[in-house]
Amino acid sequence: MTGAVLLVLPIGIPWLLAAVLALADGRRRWVGLLAAAGLGASLVSLGFLASAVLREGAVEVVSGGWPIGVGISLRADALGVTFAAVSVGVILVSTLYEISLGVRWRVFPALVLLVAAGLNGLFLTGDAFNFYVFFEVSMTASFVLAGYREEDYQVRAAFLFAVINLLGSVVFLIGIAALYSITGSLDMETISRRAEGLEPSSVIVIAAVIFAAFCLKLGLFPFHFWLPAVYVGSHAPVAAILSGSLANIGSYGILRFGAGVLPRELELGSVAVMALGAASIVYGGLQAISRRDTSEVMAYSAIGQVGYILLAVGVGAPVGYAAAILYSVVNSLNKGVVFLAAGLRGPLVGGAFAVGAFSIAGVPPAAGFVGKIAVFKAAIAANPTFASLALVALIFAGSALSFLYSFQVYQRRFVKPDPRAPDKPSPRAARLLVAALAALVVLLGLWPEPLVYLSEAAAAVLTGGSG
Amino acid sequence: MTLFSALVVSVVFASGTFLLLQRDLLRTVVGIVLISNSATLFIVSAGLTRGAAPIYPLPEDGGVSDPLVQGMALTALIIGFAVAALLLAMVYRLYATHGTVDAEEISDAEMREAEALERADDPEKEEVPTEEQEPEEEEARAR
Amino acid sequence: MDVAWVPSWEVRLALSLDGLAALYALLATGIGFAVLVYSSRYLPLHLEHEGRPGSDAPRFYFFVLLFMGSMVGLAMAQDLILVFVFWDLTSIASYYLIGYDGHKGESRASALMALLVTGITAVLLLVGALLLYAEHGTFSVPELARMVEPGPLLTAAGFLIVVAGLAKSAQAPLHFWLPRAMAAPTPVSAYLHSAAMVAAGVLLIGRVYPLLQKSEPLLDALLVFGIASMAVGGVLALTRDALKQLLAYSTIAQYGFVVTMYGLGGPYGAGGAAYYVIVHAIAKSALFLTAGAVTEATGQDRLSKLGGLRGSMPLLAVSSGLAAATLTSLPLTLGFFADEFFFAAALERGPVLVGLAVASAATTLAYTWRFWSGLFLGEVRAVARRIPRLLIAPVVALGATGLIGGFFTGPFEGLAEAAGEVSLAAPTPLDATYHPEILPEYVMAAGAYALGTVFILTRPVWTRAALGVSKLGKIAGPERVYGLVVHRLNLFSDFVHRLEIRNLRGRVAAVLLPTAVLVGASVLATPTSGAYHVGPLRVEEAPLILVMLAVAVAAITTTFTRRHVTLALVLSSAGFALAVAYAFYGAPSVTLVAVLVETLLTVLLVATLKLIPYEVLHRQAELPLARTRRDVFVSVAAGAFAFVVVWGALSQPPAGQTVAEDHVRLAPQAQAKNVVTAILADFRGLDTLGEITVIALVLLGVGTLLGGVRPEALPADSGPPGTSGSTRPAARAVTQEVARLLYLPTLVVAAAILVKGFVQTGDGFSAGVVGALGVLLRYLAFGHEEAKRLPPVRHATAIAFSGLLVALGVAAFPLFAGEAVLTHSPPPGTEPVHLGTLELMTAVLFDFGVFLLVFGFAVGASSFFARASEASGAWGDGPR
């Protein structure tokens, strides 16, 4: 298959399928399974795309066959494919999970498919405005999804989620329009080239608002206040999709627009980036410790975990970007495991959650330790020495906090006998799924080379692209 | 004109954010609509050329206005409208479940639920080992 | 074995069975075997005692085997990352084994403590390894040993690794988790203390010893921690009443010996340490298993409740006596030489260390005696039941090993020498034979026995002091610090949680303010001269300026409008003013859509207002508009950052060519007269696809939120009477007639807009909205009851999604022809086939898809709102 077709498949399959399935009753099992099959096909095509990208470099297609810039260029490189694969993977597992519990909404399969289509689109586009459009596709789908099951608190969370994130979208849109206004192009590579020739003073303000929009998406302190309510309120698979897939928009966006398009501005602002990351690690960790609800602990944990990504981005250079990518991937999987496990009861669930908790704390063989190594490596590579020391100390403190909160809640929820708990275990299929995802996390910890290789290839895209 | 456009855009944006900060959820939606509008206005005014409508036959004397920003503005406008419609539906839904469109009252409901959760159990103490209550051998023998 | 594991990081799966590995692997499997044999009898009793099902047993064996496997792996690992992995695996195994009785709070707390202390310090090991890697580019211990030079880096990295090792070996001040870990079932305690977990710490020190010994400060640190642990462990072991507690503190002291020996260095230090580990493993596991057997037999686990068991359990008494003798280094046991090597190493460092060594050995004698005599001698305090023989057999075997080893030291000596050689990177000849002459070591040993005997005999004299130390430890010791830290962190977490912003307004402000700060900071960070231009205000732009002023005024008016209907009107006037502004900007397409969007939005807004009872809205309208200083400040800050970005961007038009020029140039090739339409349907058709997908999504969302049931699912006569058109006042008749008349024409107009789009202003979106307006008019005239029977209303969702499918199909079809996605046909430059005025081209089909979708959306969304209003009428005024 040619690259041009391969590039379109991951986006097109879920998109078309969503348009078809929107009319079917998603509560029927076959509809859900068909949607899952579509997600699976999308994931498989991403796998082929990844191997093509790693073999031959970035694959690019301009829509309509027009010259670059005139048409929208879709561009798959290692960075985008990595994020897309992880995000779709988490969505796929969450969808299967919900199917096994019983889908409650007719439109649920269409919504998850569109989240996936939008995410794949934004990870694989090379056009800044098109990024915004795909961003809105996945966000709008998730606004609706956040209200899934329609409990009072879920509708409330959905509204909160929508309002805050729309505000972020508008801020981001202003940033994109401003980029066009100063460079005369929407193609990311062209923007990057032209922005290099401009005075930093006119670009950095734009970089600041774009960065703020992604921080909001990522749920970074102090942009995070919407996040706990939404993650706690959402039904488990929705929370997993929000934290394991959609949050990736933030880290990907910061990497793509910061390190890829506006590297000079990122470097100018690296102190701010690291400061925000540091604040997030400490704040999220502290908040998480005494929260009662498992999902709430993990929501605050998510705030802390993205701090590491920011630290690594702030350090910059291939080692920093690779660490940020690696950590994002691992963090997605962790969040998928813990949020899904938090929604279940019965055998295997505790074990799966424990794997997630060990991964968050960075204990091998769960994959989290690979991320922690990468982040430590980045911190050690930072300049000057005292900054490096401070970063190492901070990451150490953060992981100490993560040990405490992960296992306090693990013991409370899964080890301590709960007299109020219903004896009936959750459906076996759901438990097996979570266990399988946890097994994947362990497998990636036991054989981390693919992850490491992929993250370094993806980081090379960023540093190679910006010269 | 540059400064003037920027001023108008930011005034619309600021008005929108002011409405977002109100307790009335409908005003929140209106605020979102306004800030979307400010973005659209900015996109259109960010056009790199000004002139006649970009429709063939092109005017011979002068240039045409930037068609790309118009395309972007249209897309942004429609997306903004669509999500505003979604927000309206959500507001109605919130009203239907909470009986109010007041953000404060709805936040109170959230706080009540959160506090109920916090009160539910006081778990952290038990994860700290209790003070070692073990008697020393001598004391134990004495008893 | 040495294969690449993570080649990108040069991490290798390097395992090698060298001397050190052989020693610890033998211990882990040998003692492990004894423990497993013991467990096969012990565990069923334990489970029965705890009232747990037998099905919990496999879990136990799984983690014991994992423990064993990871210890063997750790022993053989030559790569620091691999060491870290196995290291944490032992922590995981011990975590689950210590917390095996998870239903007990004490057990959970102890497991957590062990995990936190050993897990968090393990991160230090990782940091140390990475520091070394950053400098030398390898994780391999042998390679590092060749490369490292003494210096601050080695000291720092080595210190981090040593701390990890000491924490795992339960050395003061990180020793407190070990006595707690006694919450584990007894076989686990035995294993944990002798051959796994705690042994892993000194194993690590032995493994990286080639590096450590290059740094004097590190050796001194080892010495200090070792001696402190000997003191703390020894003194506290003299005070404990619970059997396992006593043994736990003795372990702390004994590993203190090992650490001290490493600190002393030299052949007797490094080789002797290895030898000591063997002795300790054999003796200590036997003593633990003894404690378990005794507890199982009597039901008691405290010295104060036990005594005089020599009669009822003679075999156990003798065997554990042998083990105790081995531990206290009595002559003719394997343990004798352990102390000899210790003394030999101490002798090289002067009298102070000699004194300390003798005192420590004497303490060992004292508490070991206390343990053994307390169990087996004295008056009978507890009755022993018969217990399975397999609970005693391992003790017998281990005790016998201690005795036999005293005569055949060869194998043990060889093991220790090989291990010491790995650590020291030099031969460590050990001499485990009895000498006829009086060596200084013998004198020290004799002194230790004598002093130990004195300790035993003068017990009442020092008991108070020892208890005082114990009390002090409880008040200010590290365990108390741990508890306080955890507790305070929880309290602090509650405290910060109360500061969390948890209302919508605060959350909005918390987005805007940091953004403003970021933008402000970036303005301050860069020179701004020349970045901003005022730009001339030209007279011919006066209309635009006036309209823009109107926009601004309308926007400001929204901030103090009270009534909702007025607010909706002000909002729409702002929107219409904007539409006019777009016209002056030379953007008629945007104007058209803006007008339509504004109309639809106003309709939906008013529909929502209608849905919510007047009182509820009125209450909001009556609220004092919270023009608090905070709100004003936040929105001014938000406006300010928007202003800076917008002004900055507008001030810097690009120097080079813009892509829009290409769009204008290429539009004819896309068969379009209107460049904007060409952009929407062709150049940037992907954006349009995304945009209509958002619309489709909103339709799904609105439908779900406003009822969850699609209109066609609703029975035709379900509406309450009184809302249908037939009962409306007759005055409506005219409107109704107009609506009926206009219904079809609007669709025709819509079709015209659609077709003409490529030539003039117009596009699928506008066509869709216009078409929908016809349906909306029917709604206004007839109400939902009548309108919902219209085919477009019944099938709105289907129409919308078939539109999406059409558009997606047009986009995807070229792929089959091997062309880029969204390539339209006919290709650029070819004249399209005309069917009347209709041009047959895929771009038009694409636009038709957009039309269908927007039409379906506008009709569908309106009908959802209308139906909700009907339903809310049925419910009355109150909420559901």
Side-chain angles (χ1 to χ4, degrees), chain B residues 7 19-20 23 29 39 43 53 55-56 58-60 71 80 83 104-105 108-109 113 116-117 120 134 140:
Chain B
L7 273 175
L19 289 175
L20 276 186
R23 319 169 47 154
V29 179
I43 295 175
I55 299 174
Y56 277 83
L58 299 178
E60 281 170 21
V83 291
E104 298 285 303
E105 288 169 21
D108 288 348
E113 281 169 30
L117 194 67
E134 161 197 333

Side-chain angles (χ1 to χ4, degrees), chain B residues 24 27 56 126 137 141, chain C residues 108 370 381 561 564 664:
Chain B
D24 181 357
R27 283 192 163 73
Y56 277 83
E126 81 159 67
E137 188 192 352
R141 278 188 200 278
Chain C
R108 291 196 300 276
R370 187 168 164 253
R381 285 204 182 86
T561 306
H564 286 88
V664 175

Side-chain angles (χ1 to χ4, degrees), chain A residues 242-332:
Chain A
L242 295 184
S243 66
S245 298
L246 274 163
N248 282 338
I249 298 177
S251 38
Y252 174 80
I254 289 175
L255 283 165
R256 179 64 80 189
F257 280 88
V261 177
L262 305 170
R264 186 184 55 187
E265 284 66 31
L266 178 65
E267 205 178 322
L268 281 172
S270 62
V271 174
V273 172
M274 285 195 266
L276 280 176
S280 221
I281 292 174
V282 174
Y283 187 83
L286 278 179
Q287 287 276 11
I289 291 174
S290 74
R291 302 284 58 76
R292 270 62 163 179
D293 184 68
T294 317
S295 314
E296 199 176 4
V297 172
M298 287 308 154
Y300 282 106
S301 153
I303 295 167
Q305 297 288 307
V306 294
Y308 297 108
I309 300 172
L310 269 256
L311 280 192
V313 171
V315 170
V319 61
Y321 298 144
I325 296 160
L326 186 54
Y327 208 91
S328 306
V329 170
V330 173
N331 184 41
S332 285

Side-chain angles (χ1 to χ4, degrees), chain B residues 1 3 21 24 27 45 50 54 56 65-66 70 95 104-105 110 124 126 130 136-138 141, chain C residues 108 180 239 370 381 459 467 490 505 507 534-536 561-562 564 586 613 619 660 664 673 675 877:
Chain B
M1 196 62 208
L3 176 60
L21 294 168
D24 181 357
R27 283 192 163 73
S45 59
R50 293 273 305 277
Y56 277 83
S65 54
D66 190 333
Q70 298 186 23
Y95 156 71
E104 298 285 303
E105 288 169 21
E110 182 185 332
E124 66 270 28
E126 81 159 67
T130 48
E136 308 298 341
E137 188 192 352
E138 301 304 315
R141 278 188 200 278
Chain C
R108 291 196 300 276
R180 285 285 181 188
T239 65
R370 187 168 164 253
R381 285 204 182 86
R459 189 177 166 139
L467 284 175
N490 272 294
R505 306 155 68 191
R507 282 160 169 155
V534 176
T561 306
R562 279 177 175 274
H564 286 88
R619 198 148 51 86
V664 175
K673 301 271 191 304
V675 185
D877 290 337

Side-chain angles (χ1 to χ4, degrees), chain A residues 314-361:
Chain A
V315 170
V319 61
Y321 298 144
I325 296 160
L326 186 54
Y327 208 91
S328 306
V329 170
V330 173
N331 184 41
S332 285
L333 296 176
N334 292 348
K335 288 288 156 341
V337 171
V338 292
F339 276 110
L340 290 179
L344 297 177
R345 294 202 174 269
L348 289 178
V349 178
F353 187 91
V355 168
F358 279 122
S359 197
I360 288 171

